[in-house]
Every structure is written in structure tokens, then in C-alpha cells.
């Protein structure tokens, strides 16, 4: 299982409550974020922030994140 957070803004204040909720309810489950122009469903932008969850059928399934973005290190000053 993993979570994806899609947000029109790469703003920690907007996204932090979402990832903290994920971490509180699903401790130890990975999550990662994406910047986007908005969540698209049925060819229309539906929200500025959305979350998806992927649940693997087999517990032995694995995935690997190859690129990591550190929000703290990449802040605009």
C-alpha cells in the first residue's frame, strides 16, 4: 500500500495536514507527492489537492522510489 498526494501547489502548509493524517492513520506506509495542474477526472479539473491510495493484491509486491525531493532542502528563500 502507498499513497500519492497530488497538489496544484508545492506548499508545505497546504500539504502537511494531509501527509500527517496519512502518517497518523497508516503509520509506516509510504506516501509521496506530485505537483500538478489539478486532479483530472472525466476530462475536467476537479480539485486543487487529491489523494490516491494503491493497495497491492499480494503482500509480497514491492516498489522502489528512484527520485526523492526534499521539501526542506528545496525551499525558496
Amino acid at each position: 500500500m502507498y499513497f500519492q498526494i497530488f497538489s496544484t501547489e508545492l506548499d508545505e502548509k497546504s500539504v502537511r495536514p494531509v501527509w500527517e493524517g496519512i502518517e497518523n492513520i497508516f503509520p509506516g506506509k509510504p506516501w509521496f507527492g506530485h505537483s500538478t495542474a489539478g486532479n483530472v477526472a472525466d476530462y475536467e479539473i476537479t480539485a486543487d489537492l487529491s489523494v490516491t491510495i494503491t493497495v497491492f493484491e499480494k503482500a509480497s509486491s514491492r516498489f522502489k522510489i528512484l527520485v526523492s525531493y526534499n521539501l526542506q532542502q528545496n525551499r525558496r528563500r
Side-chain angles (χ1 to χ4, degrees):
M1 166 187 310
Y2 68 87
F3 295 84
Q4 294 173 275
I5 303 169
F6 297 90
S7 178
T8 56
E9 298 179 28
L10 192 57
D11 176 31
E12 182 176 350
K13 291 178 187 175
S14 299
V15 181
R16 176 177 288 278
V18 176
W19 84 60
E20 287 179 345
I22 292 169
E23 290 174 346
N24 287 332
I25 297 169
F26 299 95
K29 298 300 179 190
W31 60 267
F32 46 96
H34 303 274
S35 63
T36 179
N39 185 40
V40 177
D42 292 329
Y43 307 102
E44 295 183 23
I45 295 175
T46 60
D48 291 334
L49 193 142
S50 60
V51 178
T52 64
I53 180 173
T54 300
V55 179
F56 295 102
E57 184 176 342
K58 296 183 179 185
S60 61
S61 296
R62 300 283 183 253
F63 68 95
K64 186 176 190 178
I65 298 174
L66 300 175
V67 177
S68 179
Y69 178 89
N70 186 321
L71 191 60
Q72 298 296 327
Q73 289 178 349
N74 297 300
R75 278 199 172 145
R76 294 179 187 159
R77 301 193 194 275

